[in-house]
């Protein structure tokens, strides 16, 4: 029996849906050049489970912070400190110590080394 077009379409749909699942499929793996940082998502406690990558772009230096749930934020560094790269959400920066800042955006908080958050 040869599959017809409807059967093939249904099979393709099932395969696509199988790829959609729980976003938290396990621990987040670092990418080369990334740094592990503490983060707190919503009311969660801080834990070292996020990663940050620094890259130079045409718009300036950008930090990409990756969360264990698959979410991420892009922060553009300015002389005043990090801002949302897309400008959509306000960013609050708090100095915790000379070595560490806390960046809050849309209910997620990240603790970054102070030197990582310095812009041009």
């Amino acid at each position: 029996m040869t599959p017809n077009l409807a059967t093939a379409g249904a099979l393709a749909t099932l395969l696509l849906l199988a790829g959609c699942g729980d976003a938290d499929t396990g621990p987040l793996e670092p990418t080369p050049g990334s740094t592990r940082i503490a983060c707190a998502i919503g009311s969660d406690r801080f834990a070292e489970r996020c990663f940050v990558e620094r890259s130079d772009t045409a718009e300036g230096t950008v930090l990409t912070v990756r969360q264990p749930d698959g979410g991420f934020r892009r922060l553009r560094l300015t002389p005043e400190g990090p801002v949302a790269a897309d400008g959509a959400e306000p960013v609050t920066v708090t100095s915790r110590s000379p070595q560490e800042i806390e960046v809050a955006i849309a209910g997620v908080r990240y603790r970054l080394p102070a030197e990582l958050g310095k812009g041009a």
Side-chain angles (χ1 to χ4, degrees), residues 5-62:
L5 190 56
T7 304
L11 181 59
T13 301
L14 287 174
L15 289 173
L16 286 172
L17 289 174
C20 299
D22 187 7
D24 192 8
T25 58
L28 180 66
E29 294 295 322
T31 57
S34 66
T35 302
R36 183 182 296 269
I37 61 166
C39 62
I41 301 169
S43 61
D44 290 349
R45 291 180 154 190
F46 275 96
E48 289 202 5
R49 59 185 176 185
C50 291
F51 291 92
V52 63
E53 306 161 9
R54 185 180 178 129
S55 57
D56 293 316
T57 69
E59 293 82 34
T61 302
V62 173

Side-chain angles (χ1 to χ4, degrees), residues 15-119:
L15 289 173
L16 286 172
L17 289 174
C20 299
D22 187 7
D24 192 8
T25 58
L28 180 66
E29 294 295 322
T31 57
S34 66
T35 302
R36 183 182 296 269
I37 61 166
C39 62
I41 301 169
S43 61
D44 290 349
R45 291 180 154 190
F46 275 96
E48 289 202 5
R49 59 185 176 185
C50 291
F51 291 92
V52 63
E53 306 161 9
R54 185 180 178 129
S55 57
D56 293 316
T57 69
E59 293 82 34
T61 302
V62 173
L63 302 179
T64 302
V65 186
R66 300 192 184 281
Q67 301 164 191
D69 63 1
F72 68 94
R73 291 285 176 181
R74 294 180 66 238
L75 303 169
R76 187 172 44 83
L77 300 183
T78 70
E80 294 77 33
V83 298
D86 62 7
E89 298 279 346
V91 175
T92 302
V93 180
T94 306
S95 177
R96 294 186 36 82
S97 74
Q99 294 81 32
E100 185 177 64
I101 61 172
E102 187 173 303
V103 177
I105 180 171
V108 181
R109 295 166 292 149
Y110 308 105
R111 290 188 177 159
L112 299 169
E115 74 273 359
L116 196 59
K118 292 181 181 170

